[in-house]
Amino acid sequence: MIICNGYGYVPQVFGRLVRFLFVALFIGCVEEFTPRTLEFGSALVIEATLTDQLGPQTIFLFRTYPFEEEGPEAESGAQVTVVDEGSVEHSFGETEPGTYVSVGDFAAEVGHTYRLSVRTSDGREYSSSAEALSGTGGMDALYAERLTDDQGREGIGIFVDAYDATASSRQYRYRYEETYKVVAPDYNRTDLIADPDGGCEPLKAPRRESDGETCYASAGSNSIILTNTNGLAEDRVERFMVRFIPMDNYIISYRYSILVRQYVQSDAAYGYYETLRDFSGSESLFSETQPGFLSGNVFSTANGEERVLGYFGVSAASGRRLFLNYDDFFPGEPLPPYVDPCDETAFQLELIGGGCNLLTLIEADLVRYKRDSDLGPSRPYFTVPRVCGDCTVLGSKETPEFWIE
């Protein structure tokens, strides 16, 4: 698979940009081909936003990767520091591959400038431009409303209000983390296990303790969410929708929570994310604009030709959490369909020509018992896909610390 500029897939917001480049290259292809990467060059990706909230600050380092590989390569073993140019240096330690967390809690302060420094395990050094807080505005409200979107879909909109009386913020970026309760529709206290005496017919047994009926799943925002108050008389954000959830999305079937974080952006940071959003958006797929390489404010200190992806930002941050129930917005209406249709199937015990069919599926952890079958001894049980009888496929049985019923 050919990659524009020799760079492969990168996660989060950068991934959408690279996918756009790939599709643009092959939009006119007719002949079938076997995808492969040509002239792949690994590039360092830095994702870092310091905030004015006192606490641990986090920086992510990883490498771009070819499309045919499964995921990004973490940049491990790096030395990461942030220098407050008032002479204070903050060190970061690697808590998991590619994730670096400040050794002590600190907060970005007004009037201070900060610079990121990275030294990778192979001795290469990288830095950022000096950045400072711009604006101090906070989020005033987070709320949800039932509505119909521009595509005619009914659902729930999540809205933000914000105001800065000093009019010094103006440009905002948002990220969210949503957590929702999942209930396995076909959870059963009976399980199927292999017969220790052999044979293809499994035995009934008590449900394994690791399975769950009620779980909690989480996901983060995967798009660039921006708004600004430029040109308005007041630095006021009103009814800005950061998330729309169609009413047929199973994640709101029971109880749902969303934590929305607001970041005040400098002109340069806002322009960077706005360009990245526009280039990676599907609306620009057939545009004549070709983004090429989008540089941020991070760079190699020794090689000006080396390409580094990402942005080091310093932002005033604020956040709020919201809980909601499906019945609050759609009282008396059927719940959204589950993530799987949960069709029950009575598999044959043995395959024609040999082989334990049902037992193979059980040992591969793909199905769960639902009920006995009346289809004869060769098909004694009805089963459903595991996700229908075990919610741990989607989340954790452990209730989050912040959860409120």
Side-chain angles (χ1 to χ4, degrees):
M1 185 177 291
I2 296 174
I3 305 299
C4 190
N5 295 314
Y7 288 83
Y9 179 82
V10 293
Q12 300 179 9
V13 296
F14 305 105
R16 296 183 64 203
L17 172 60
V18 177
R19 284 195 293 273
F20 161 69
L21 290 171
F22 168 73
V23 174
L25 280 171
F26 291 104
I27 199 71
C29 290
V30 176
E31 297 182 6
E32 291 188 13
F33 65 98
T34 301
R36 62 190 179 92
T37 302
L38 299 179
E39 299 181 2
F40 172 73
S42 177
L44 179 65
V45 182
I46 298 175
E47 183 178 348
T49 300
L50 297 187
T51 75
D52 62 348
Q53 301 299 298
L54 180 63
Q57 307 285 341
T58 305
I59 293 171
F60 301 96
L61 304 180
F62 43 90
R63 289 273 170 183
T64 57
Y65 63 97
F67 273 86
E68 62 267 26
E69 294 186 3
E70 293 185 358
E73 177 186 356
E75 183 66 33
S76 290
Q79 298 175 24
V80 179
T81 57
V82 169
V83 178
D84 177 340
E85 299 200 329
S87 77
V88 178
E89 183 173 286
H90 301 279
S91 297
F92 286 67
E94 189 172 13
T95 57
E96 58 183 80
T99 299
Y100 297 82
V101 178
S102 58
V103 174
D105 294 349
F106 73 98
E109 299 180 49
V110 175
H112 290 228
T113 58
Y114 300 86
R115 189 184 300 272
L116 174 67
S117 176
V118 174
R119 181 183 177 88
T120 57
S121 59
D122 60 2
R124 297 187 181 188
E125 296 186 354
Y126 304 86
S127 186
S128 73
S129 60
E131 299 294 326
L133 285 171
S134 59
T136 57
M139 188 187 305
D140 291 335
L142 177 68
Y143 51 97
E145 293 182 5
R146 177 174 176 170
L147 56 84
T148 301
D149 73 356
D150 294 339
Q151 300 177 37
R153 301 175 300 174
E154 274 198 276
I156 297 173
I158 310 296
F159 295 90
V160 164
D161 288 347
Y163 175 62
D164 181 4
T166 68
S168 62
S169 299
R170 291 293 181 185
Q171 295 163 146
Y172 304 87
R173 178 168 61 94
Y174 296 91
R175 299 184 71 169
Y176 62 79
E177 298 172 6
E178 53 188 2
T179 303
Y180 45 93
K181 181 185 287 188
V182 179
V183 179
D186 292 313
Y187 179 82
N188 196 306
R189 298 192 180 278
T190 300
D191 204 354
L192 296 174
I193 61 172
D195 185 345
D197 295 329
C200 285
E201 182 170 356
L203 302 178
K204 290 183 182 179
R207 167 69 65 191
R208 65 192 79 183
E209 293 184 1
S210 60
D211 281 7
E213 180 178 12
T214 300
C215 295
Y216 300 87
S218 296
S221 50
N222 59 4
S223 59
I224 301 170
I225 308 169
L226 301 170
T227 192
N228 67 75
T229 60
N230 298 329
L232 300 181
E234 291 185 307
D235 191 357
R236 186 185 298 275
V237 176
E238 290 185 313
R239 287 184 54 77
F240 177 69
M241 188 165 67
V242 296
R243 176 80 163 106
F244 175 77
I245 311 171
M247 67 176 295
D248 61 356
N249 191 328
Y250 83 99
I251 69 174
I252 56 172
S253 296
Y254 298 98
R255 189 151 177 81
Y256 170 91
S257 177
I258 186 169
L259 171 64
V260 177
R261 292 187 174 93
Q262 174 181 282
Y263 301 91
V264 176
Q265 301 284 266
S266 66
D267 290 345
Y270 188 87
Y272 175 83
Y273 284 106
E274 184 178 40
T275 302
L276 184 58
R277 180 198 63 186
D278 293 345
F279 282 161
S280 61
S282 60
E283 69 275 2
S284 63
L285 191 58
F286 300 101
S287 165
E288 294 181 359
T289 302
Q290 298 295 322
F293 180 80
L294 179 61
S295 60
N297 65 345
V298 288
F299 52 86
S300 167
T301 58
N303 181 4
E305 299 300 316
E306 181 180 353
R307 291 181 170 180
V308 185
L309 296 169
Y311 201 92
F312 171 69
V314 182
S315 295
S318 56
R320 288 177 178 262
R321 180 177 291 280
L322 173 73
F323 286 88
L324 59 87
N325 294 321
Y326 184 81
D327 286 344
D328 296 338
F329 294 85
F330 307 102
E333 299 193 39
L335 292 178
Y338 192 58
V339 67
D340 190 282
C342 297
D343 296 327
E344 59 178 35
T345 305
F347 290 100
Q348 287 186 336
L349 293 180
E350 298 182 57
L351 292 170
I352 297 175
C356 296
N357 184 34
L358 177 57
L359 191 57
T360 298
L361 295 172
I362 293 170
E363 291 177 336
D365 208 19
L366 296 176
V367 297
R368 290 293 184 268
Y369 170 83
K370 182 171 183 180
R371 62 186 177 92
D372 289 352
S373 164
D374 56 1
L375 300 178
S378 66
R379 299 172 181 266
Y381 307 114
F382 277 106
T383 63
V384 291
R386 177 189 165 192
V387 69
C388 302
D390 175 20
C391 64
T392 65
V393 175
L394 301 172
S396 169
K397 293 194 296 182
E398 184 176 349
T399 305
E401 292 183 0
F402 61 81
W403 196 260
I404 300 173
E405 287 291 346

